[in-house]
């Protein structure tokens, strides 16, 4: 269940209440006239099954409540109510399959912001991966994958394509390009520093490296794994199963490929650098294609389920 807290202009309270009452899957409606002060208006509270949340939010935005008032959405971890159970049974589909597009767009928008934190995580993850590359240490590579923040902008691109939001697409693509470019530059300087301290050497980079040589040698499995990880990551975001994101993060070779490209660049190893860039681009492409296809399929399936419910209600 989702909990909605709204500040509604008094002239639109009746319309908002009618919308909530007519939406299948809502419960616990509360109206407090004149309770809100900033902005002024009526305070309206309700709970809604996750399956019906996107439709209700869309209707509330059409009333302009997000412009002249406020809409806040919270996940309810526990709700002990027979009425809530009934609302969830009435709503179409399963809550785990529902996509709250407004919530997804907001999350990906935040993750695609070029902030100090974003740059820091991207740079630190790539430097950790650089150490793993030179030392041929798979544990460091896995750790770097988990630290990297790149899935947020990737999900932003997928969401923007499906929702036809060019601003979000541009913002996410810029975050990806600038993030990886800055991380590669910083890691190249880091590699030169480590070489000056005699901690890195070209011979270490040119060694066989059985644990990490795959990073700069892309093959068909690189694309296959990226596609699978992209689909899994997208499902994790839309279903709020955040635990799966760790597995997704350590399945794709984005940050390690950027790190290997940076170290190879510092030693003038053009072959390794180009192979690493290919690996990076292949993974990014696979994730974006799979993520976009997954979101498009979810959107289509959900529209079909909602259409069936509406036809059944008309007949009833």
């Amino acid at each position: 269940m989702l909990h909605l807290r709204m500040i509604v202009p008094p002239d639109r309270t009746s319309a908002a209440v009618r919308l909530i009452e007519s939406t299948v899957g809502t419960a616990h409606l509360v109206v407090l006239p004149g309770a809100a002060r900033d902005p002024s208006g009526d305070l309206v509270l309700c709970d809604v099954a996750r399956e019906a949340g996107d439709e209700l939010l869309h209707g509330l935005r059409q009333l302009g409540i997000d412009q002249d008032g406020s809409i806040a959405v919270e996940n309810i971890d526990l709700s002990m109510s027979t009425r809530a159970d009934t609302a969830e049974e009435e709503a179409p589909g399963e809550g785990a399959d529902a996509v709250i597009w407004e919530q997804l767009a907001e999350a990906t928008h935040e993750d695609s912001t070029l902030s100090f934190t974003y740059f820091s995580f991207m740079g630190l993850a790539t430097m950790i991966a650089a150490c793993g590359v030179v030392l041929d240490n798979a544990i460091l590579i896995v750790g770097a994958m988990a630290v990297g923040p790149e899935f947020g902008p990737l999900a932003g691109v997928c969401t923007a394509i499906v929702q036809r939001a060019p601003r979000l697409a541009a913002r996410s693509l810029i975050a990806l390009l600038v993030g990886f470019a800055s991380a590669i530059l910083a890691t190249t300087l880091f590699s030169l520093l480590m070489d000056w301290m005699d901690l890195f050497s070209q011979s270490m980079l040119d060694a066989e490296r059985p644990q990490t040589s795959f990073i700069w040698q892309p093959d068909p499995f690189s694309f296959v794994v990226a596609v699978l990880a992209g689909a899994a990551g997208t499902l994790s975001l839309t279903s709020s199963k955040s635990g799966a994101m760790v597995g997704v993060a350590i399945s794709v070779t984005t940050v390690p490929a950027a790190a290997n490209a940076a170290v190879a660049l510092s030693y003038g190893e053009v072959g390794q650098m180009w192979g690493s860039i290919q690996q990076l681009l292949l993974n990014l492409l696979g994730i974006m294609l799979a993520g976009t296809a997954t979101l498009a399929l979810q959107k289509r399936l959900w529209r079909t389920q909602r259409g069936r419910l509406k036809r059944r209600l008309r007949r009833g």
Side-chain angles (χ1 to χ4, degrees):
M1 294 287 286
L2 301 173
H3 178 67
L4 272 62
R5 183 182 71 252
M6 294 157 281
I7 297 176
V8 183
D11 61 323
R12 274 164 272 181
T13 300
S14 297
V17 169
R18 285 196 299 271
L19 175 63
I20 294 169
E21 290 177 334
S22 63
T23 300
V24 176
T26 58
H28 309 149
L29 175 61
V30 176
V31 181
L32 302 174
R37 292 292 180 267
D38 184 20
S40 61
D42 301 332
L43 181 63
V44 179
L45 310 172
C46 75
D47 295 339
V48 60
R50 185 178 175 85
E51 306 92 296
D54 187 65
E55 181 179 4
L56 179 58
L57 288 172
H58 180 70
L60 292 170
R61 292 197 68 181
Q62 285 187 320
L63 292 175
I65 294 174
D66 58 320
Q67 299 293 325
D68 303 319
S70 169
I71 304 173
V73 183
E74 300 173 339
N75 287 308
I76 300 176
D77 295 326
L78 175 63
S79 179
M80 294 184 289
S81 164
T82 302
R83 181 67 190 91
D85 294 340
T86 302
E88 288 189 315
E89 291 174 0
E90 292 173 345
E94 296 293 332
D97 297 334
V99 180
I100 310 299
W101 292 100
E102 300 293 342
Q103 191 178 53
L104 181 60
E106 182 65 26
T108 52
H109 181 278
E110 182 178 344
D111 291 341
S112 301
T113 302
L114 290 174
S115 62
F116 173 77
T117 301
Y118 174 78
F119 281 122
S120 298
F121 273 117
M122 186 68 82
L124 291 171
T126 310
M127 291 178 194
I128 293 171
C131 295
V133 163
V134 173
L135 297 174
D136 194 33
N137 189 315
I139 295 176
L140 291 177
I141 295 296
V142 170
M145 291 175 174
V147 172
E150 74 279 7
F151 196 84
L154 285 168
V157 173
C158 301
T159 303
I161 292 173
V162 175
Q163 291 294 89
R164 298 178 182 178
R167 288 186 179 180
L168 178 59
R171 185 188 187 95
S172 300
L173 285 172
I174 289 171
L176 276 176
L177 294 174
V178 176
F180 273 111
S182 62
I184 290 174
L185 176 60
T187 305
T188 300
L189 297 175
F190 172 74
S191 177
L192 292 172
L193 175 63
M194 294 293 279
D195 180 77
W196 178 75
M197 297 171 62
D198 291 329
L199 295 175
F200 282 9
S201 68
Q202 186 165 358
S203 61
M204 298 170 74
L205 182 69
D206 293 337
E208 287 189 14
R209 293 192 288 142
Q211 298 291 325
T212 59
S213 60
F214 70 93
I215 292 172
W216 62 277
Q217 297 173 339
D219 57 27
F221 279 104
S222 301
F223 185 74
V224 170
V225 172
V227 168
L228 297 175
T234 303
L235 287 172
S236 176
L237 280 179
T238 57
S239 63
S240 297
K241 303 292 184 182
S242 57
M245 286 303 300
V246 177
V248 172
I250 62 177
S251 299
V252 292
T253 320
T254 50
V255 167
N260 201 86
V263 177
L265 176 62
S266 69
Y267 287 113
E269 291 280 354
V270 178
Q272 280 207 40
M273 183 185 71
W274 177 237
S276 301
I277 294 296
Q278 286 180 309
Q279 180 78 273
L280 174 61
L281 295 176
L282 199 61
N283 276 265
L284 294 177
L285 177 62
I287 292 172
M288 285 191 286
L289 287 176
T292 301
T294 301
L295 287 175
L297 179 61
Q298 286 180 294
K299 190 173 186 178
R300 184 177 182 84
L301 290 175
W302 202 250
R303 280 181 175 176
T304 302
Q305 283 187 332
R306 194 182 303 174
R308 289 174 180 172
L309 174 66
K310 289 180 178 179
R311 287 193 294 270
R312 190 164 65 246
L313 289 175
R314 290 195 202 100
R315 289 195 297 267

